[in-house]
Amino acid sequence: QVQLVESGGGLVQPGESLRLSCAASGFTLLSYPLTWVRQTPGKGFEWVSSIGRTGADIKYADFAEGRFTVSRDNAQNMLYLQMDNIKPEDSAVYYCIRGWIMSDYEGRQFGQGTQVIVSS
């Protein structure tokens, strides 16, 4: 059974850092690119970052460039998102999904996600 379980979210103040994790099981992580997506009530689903199978190819949304760092550990079946200099607009539920998918998230199945709340 394919599972992706996100964790690491929480309540943080603007300017702080947070590291999100995504634990994968039921498939070989190295076989897939991976993507972080976030969802807010106002903006809906929003692409955050994608990383290639080996980690050599990485792409960020404009809002994430320079502040977020995506990484993966295929041996440990883990995906990470280091979030630095967090802003209030980063408040969202963050999901990890298989594939290099930058749009068209409606109707897709997600895990439980991990919520990030940014508040002073």
Side-chain angles (χ1 to χ4, degrees):
Q1 182 183 0
V2 173
Q3 274 196 315
L4 292 164
V5 180
E6 304 89 348
S7 62
L11 175 62
V12 294
Q13 294 187 350
E16 292 186 338
S17 297
L18 206 57
R19 188 196 197 202
L20 307 184
S21 299
C22 172
S25 61
F27 66 100
T28 302
L29 199 68
L30 182 59
S31 298
Y32 293 88
L34 301 166
T35 293
W36 283 103
V37 179
R38 68 186 186 183
Q39 184 183 25
T40 60
K43 290 187 177 181
F45 290 106
E46 193 173 29
W47 172 68
V48 177
S49 178
S50 294
I51 183 169
R53 296 183 297 111
T54 65
D57 297 317
I58 291 175
K59 194 172 179 66
Y60 297 100
D62 287 344
F63 66 80
E65 191 75 56
R67 298 191 301 122
F68 294 2
T69 304
V70 64
S71 62
R72 61 191 292 164
D73 184 339
N74 290 329
Q76 297 297 321
N77 291 328
M78 295 294 296
L79 172 71
Y80 302 101
L81 184 69
Q82 176 69 37
M83 304 170 63
D84 297 319
N85 189 22
I86 292 176
K87 301 177 180 181
E89 53 264 40
D90 294 324
S91 294
V93 179
Y94 286 74
Y95 302 95
C96 58
I97 57 175
R98 291 196 306 182
W100 191 291
I101 303 171
M102 299 171 63
S103 63
D104 297 327
Y105 301 114
E106 295 297 334
R108 173 175 291 276
Q109 191 171 14
F110 292 90
Q112 89 285 353
T114 187
Q115 185 162 26
V116 174
I117 300 173
V118 185
S119 176
S120 55

